[in-house]
Amino acid sequence: MREDVQALDISDVTANWVNAAVLERQIDERIKALADLAHTPLFFGRLDYLHAPGAEQAEGAEFEEGGAATSSQGRRRETGGSFYIGRRHVHDADGDPMVIDWRAPVSQPFYRASKKAPMDVALRRRFGYTGGELTAYEDEHLTDPDEVEQTSKLLQQEIERPRVGPMRDIVATIQPEQDEIVRSGLAGSVCVQGGPGTGKTAVGLHRVAYLLYAHRERLARTGTLVIGPNRSFLHYIEQVLPALGELEVGQATVDDLVAGRAQVRGVDDPGAALVKGDARMAEVLRRALRSHIAMPSEGVVVVRGSRRWRIASYELEEIVRELMARDMRYGAAREALPQRIAHAVLVRMERAGEAPDDRVQDAVARNAAVKAVVKAVWPAVDPAKLVLRLLSDAQFLAEHAAGLLSEDEQKAVLWAKPARSVKSAKWSAADAVLIDEAADLIERTPSLGHVVLDEAQDLSPMQYRAVGRRATTGSVTVLGDIAQGTTPWSTPSWDVALAHLGKADAVVEELTAGFRVPTDVITYASRLLPHIAPGLTPVASVRENPGAFEVREAPGGVAEVVAGVVAACREALENEGSVGLIAADARCAALGEALERAGLAFLAPGEETTTGARLTLVPASLAKGLEYDYVVLDEPAAVVDGEPDERTGLRRLYVALTRAVSGLVVVHGAGLPAALVDAA
């Protein structure tokens, strides 16, 4: 298939160089999409249908050996045939399908069919691979009443297989409850609450791949975007969609979305960041922006040739008030104002017997007198300058935050030393979001067709709004876990978060089956749930392997704990797969030095693990969303103490405890947090 595309000759099919360039780019993208992936098979399953998919079944049909059906009326027809299910669609030299894309409707029963609901499937076959070579297969006869339904061994092995490198696709292991979310329609928004190891990130990415398959033309026009918490996380997931042939999906953090608004050089203290991220700031900005509108104090006179046309001040005020009442965006209303004034002038011209047309109206709108009125009544406003004034001018902030922010909250956001200009200001990440909000109040932000928002529980209300305005005409897939919210402003509930996103009608789905985290590990971590997310359903691991789990106390001082951590890392590296050493941010430097002295090379988060470099030193603040086969957790109490409050610290610890796929060793010298001990 790739060679066919490479052999295409477009010299005689393009009208001009522009068409040729576009077609060449499309061909290049097609070649990239057809790239082979090492150790990844093109197909992983097979379905044998009782009837041809989509065909009307003969009433009373019974199937006999030989592959033909005999109905109660004596009619005979062929069985539905076999379909190989794979990561990509593959056809032969004649264009006939050999492998069916996993997203196609005919592939759906591979994920959802069961003995109770066979979905017209006689046989489901799973293939097992090692290093890209076929090594096993496993059959389920879904319509055979004598065959007992069993858990698939190949499916279990694939779920529990050690991993090295970035996240991979899960097309061979998608579960029925995951498939329902993946194949949900483009029109509706979906929020997936999923605990550690439930596959929520993979489900969100595969939903994007499905939507691009089902609505390719529409999304090609409007665009799709995956938003993650940090660059390390985006690097970890960046190969999933290309592996499925989808190359046009953008990736960004929330900071990236608003990066063009201001150069971020400062950092807010938690109190200031909490207020700046509050949804009330949107109304403060709206009031501050609207305060620039002034009612006209006198009329306007427009001179056209020898005639003078006057619009009284009360008429101008009516126009201004009407535009304000329509609640248009500030910039759109400002552009409409001169046209409305010009229209009032044209009405007078027509009453005087003239016959002006649209060109005359445009000319009047550009008249110097009209421009002067617009400048005085509805002046242009720069969003960065608006935010600069709010954060620098106590009186201006107090005027527009009255009844919204308390005096203490106003003091928290005011700069101690006001900046002289937009360029010299040390903007923070929260400030950039405020500027983005102000910019949207002035001019509408372009909307995408679909947005995936991962680790969404950590966003502030203002950050939700920043994401939401980029999907006002599209849908969103929200992914997260309330229990893993580790910012002071993390959302208390998905209803609140979805309201800020502007998607209050989104369907909330909960994934509670854990496929990645071993039973013993998730059971230990779940001791924290009553303290960090009361009422949340604990994850139930479905893995047959309980995993390796151990809590080691290192009596003595800091040196003994560090030595215990290094020893645990060395032991973990004796196993197959990746190893992550997770520690409180403040302890990472010392641990890194100890690993170097011990001759253990290590990577930073985001750097790709290989067979030769499998150990990653992970600050606890960057662990979210990452997974390692084996995890060594250093000093849990230090992880908790590294956060501004206990709840956030315990949530950070919950994240760190649940990064392990095969085994976890907890090393501590100080006492364990009470929430872990009391629940024992």
Side-chain angles (χ1 to χ4, degrees):
M1 289 170 65
R2 187 170 59 251
E3 289 170 355
D4 287 345
V5 179
Q6 290 171 331
L8 288 174
D9 182 4
I10 63 172
S11 57
D12 295 329
V13 298
T14 54
N16 52 53
W17 69 269
V18 175
N19 290 345
V22 171
L23 190 54
E24 285 177 3
R25 181 181 179 278
Q26 292 175 338
I27 290 173
D28 288 342
E29 292 298 314
R30 176 65 173 162
I31 293 171
K32 291 178 184 177
L34 290 172
D36 286 324
L37 296 179
H39 309 301
T40 302
L42 282 173
F43 66 95
F44 50 81
R46 176 181 132 187
L47 292 176
D48 289 2
Y49 275 88
L50 293 172
H51 307 86
E56 183 179 353
Q57 297 181 20
E59 183 179 355
E62 297 176 356
F63 282 80
E64 302 174 348
E65 188 176 356
T70 304
S71 73
S72 56
Q73 288 79 19
R75 291 175 293 182
R76 291 176 58 83
R77 61 186 179 85
E78 295 302 314
T79 57
S82 299
F83 297 86
Y84 287 87
I85 312 302
R87 180 174 53 84
R88 299 289 310 281
H89 167 79
V90 181
H91 63 249
D92 61 18
D94 297 324
D96 294 325
M98 299 176 66
V99 178
I100 306 299
D101 194 301
W102 66 276
R103 297 167 286 188
V106 75
S107 303
Q108 186 173 350
F110 184 80
Y111 302 107
R112 298 199 192 179
S114 65
K115 296 284 287 186
K116 292 182 178 179
M119 299 177 72
D120 202 43
V121 173
L123 171 75
R124 173 167 56 201
R125 173 169 290 176
R126 300 182 190 273
F127 296 98
Y129 288 85
T130 301
E133 293 189 0
L134 178 66
T135 55
Y137 69 89
E138 182 181 75
D139 286 350
E140 297 172 83
H141 298 87
L142 299 180
T143 55
D144 183 352
D146 297 327
E147 184 176 291
V148 179
E149 189 168 19
Q150 296 180 339
T151 301
S152 167
K153 297 294 184 183
L154 287 179
L155 180 63
Q156 200 70 34
Q157 290 172 10
E158 176 62 21
I159 289 173
E160 298 184 9
R161 179 161 61 93
R163 64 175 57 187
V164 174
M167 178 184 282
R168 59 178 183 264
D169 67 75
I170 61 164
V171 289
T173 63
I174 294 173
Q175 300 299 293
E177 65 272 19
Q178 295 174 327
D179 190 65
E180 289 185 18
I181 298 171
V182 167
R183 296 177 193 265
S184 55
L186 177 61
S189 293
V190 178
C191 175
V192 183
Q193 158 63 40
T198 55
K200 57 184 177 296
T201 296
V203 167
L205 294 175
H206 286 67
R207 186 181 183 217
V208 172
Y210 172 77
L211 292 176
L212 287 167
Y213 175 89
H215 307 278
R216 189 166 302 281
E217 290 187 8
R218 178 176 172 183
L219 290 177
R221 294 192 305 269
T222 56
T224 23
L225 179 67
V226 175
I227 302 174
N230 52 56
R231 280 281 144 202
S232 297
F233 178 82
L234 292 177
H235 183 72
Y236 178 61
I237 67 170
E238 67 183 357
Q239 294 303 318
V240 175
L241 290 169
L244 301 175
E246 303 301 344
L247 306 175
E248 299 298 322
V249 180
Q251 292 187 350
T253 64
V254 174
D255 290 345
D256 292 335
L257 294 184
V258 300
R261 304 300 190 188
Q263 184 179 0
V264 176
R265 298 184 298 165
V267 178
D268 287 317
D269 63 66
L274 193 61
V275 178
K276 289 179 180 179
D278 195 289
R280 292 172 294 168
M281 288 299 299
E283 177 60 20
V284 174
L285 287 167
R286 194 192 72 83
R287 289 181 183 180
L289 179 62
R290 290 279 170 154
S291 71
H292 290 77
I293 304 171
M295 290 302 158
S297 57
E298 56 184 27
V300 61
V301 177
V302 177
V303 179
R304 291 280 298 173
S306 60
R307 307 277 318 252
R308 295 162 63 88
W309 308 97
R310 178 179 174 79
I311 306 297
S313 60
Y314 74 88
E315 293 178 275
L316 292 177
E317 183 174 336
E318 287 179 0
I319 294 173
V320 172
R321 291 194 182 281
E322 182 185 351
L323 289 173
M324 291 178 67
R326 293 178 61 184
D327 201 27
M328 300 169 63
R329 276 179 167 71
Y330 187 91
R334 186 175 188 274
E335 292 177 1
L337 179 57
Q339 290 291 336
R340 296 298 301 276
I341 296 173
H343 176 73
V345 172
L346 260 65
V347 169
R348 281 166 169 70
M349 289 181 175
E350 290 171 347
R351 288 173 180 171
E354 297 189 16
D357 55 19
D358 291 344
R359 290 174 298 177
V360 174
Q361 179 168 332
D362 290 339
V364 172
R366 295 192 300 269
N367 182 274
V370 174
K371 286 184 175 180
V373 170
V374 173
K375 184 177 180 180
V377 171
W378 211 295
V381 177
D382 178 83
K385 289 182 179 179
L386 178 67
V387 176
L388 179 70
R389 186 178 177 190
L390 274 173
L391 301 180
S392 304
D393 187 335
Q395 184 176 349
F396 187 66
L397 176 62
E399 180 183 349
H400 302 297
L404 293 172
L405 303 180
S406 68
E407 290 186 9
D408 288 342
E409 288 174 324
Q410 293 176 37
K411 290 178 181 178
V413 300
L414 277 170
W415 288 336
K417 185 179 180 181
R420 293 183 177 180
S421 66
V422 168
K423 290 186 177 180
S424 65
K426 291 186 177 180
W427 299 109
S428 68
D431 295 334
V433 176
L434 293 179
I435 297 173
D436 189 70
E437 177 82 26
D440 185 72
L441 289 170
I442 296 170
E443 184 177 348
R444 182 182 297 276
T445 304
S447 176
L448 296 161
H450 192 76
V451 173
V452 176
L453 178 60
D454 206 350
E455 299 296 346
Q457 71 279 346
D458 275 338
L459 270 59
S460 71
M462 292 300 287
Q463 287 176 317
Y464 283 123
R465 291 174 63 89
V467 174
R469 54 179 157 267
R470 287 164 173 82
T472 51
T473 59
S475 54
V476 298
T477 300
V478 180
L479 312 168
D481 180 11
I482 296 295
Q484 296 185 57
T486 51
T487 57
W489 47 82
S490 57
T491 188
S493 74
W494 290 123
D495 288 342
V496 172
L498 293 169
H500 290 313
L501 268 172
K503 303 294 181 183
D505 58 346
V507 177
V508 180
E509 303 281 359
E510 187 171 7
L511 297 176
T512 58
F515 302 99
R516 300 299 298 166
V517 185
T519 301
D520 290 351
V521 174
I522 196 64
T523 300
Y524 185 72
S526 294
R527 295 178 178 183
L528 300 175
L529 285 180
H531 303 274
I532 60 177
L536 203 63
T537 304
V539 172
S541 178
V542 298
R543 295 172 59 119
E544 292 184 351
N545 182 358
F549 172 67
E550 185 179 357
V551 178
R552 299 179 183 176
E553 184 176 2
V558 175
E560 286 74 16
V561 175
V562 171
V565 167
V566 172
C569 289
R570 196 182 297 278
E571 292 172 20
L573 287 168
E574 295 176 0
N575 301 304
E576 181 185 1
S578 58
V579 178
L581 168 55
I582 303 178
D585 293 29
R587 293 174 60 88
C588 284
L591 289 172
E593 293 174 359
L595 291 174
E596 290 176 350
R597 288 195 300 270
L600 297 179
F602 61 91
L603 305 168
E607 294 182 322
E608 187 172 328
T609 56
T610 64
T611 53
R614 296 185 291 119
L615 174 62
T616 303
L617 177 57
V618 188
S621 63
L622 297 180
K624 192 171 299 179
L626 305 179
E627 288 182 345
Y628 301 93
D629 285 292
Y630 293 87
V631 167
V632 177
L633 176 60
D634 165 73
E635 206 64 87
V639 174
V640 176
D641 293 341
E643 300 299 328
D645 60 84
E646 185 183 29
R647 192 195 72 160
T648 303
L650 290 175
R651 286 184 167 186
R652 185 76 72 188
L653 177 58
Y654 181 74
V655 171
L657 286 168
T658 54
R659 300 305 94 199
V661 172
S662 299
L664 169 67
V665 175
V666 178
V667 182
H668 70 99
L672 291 170
L676 281 177
V677 177
D678 294 344

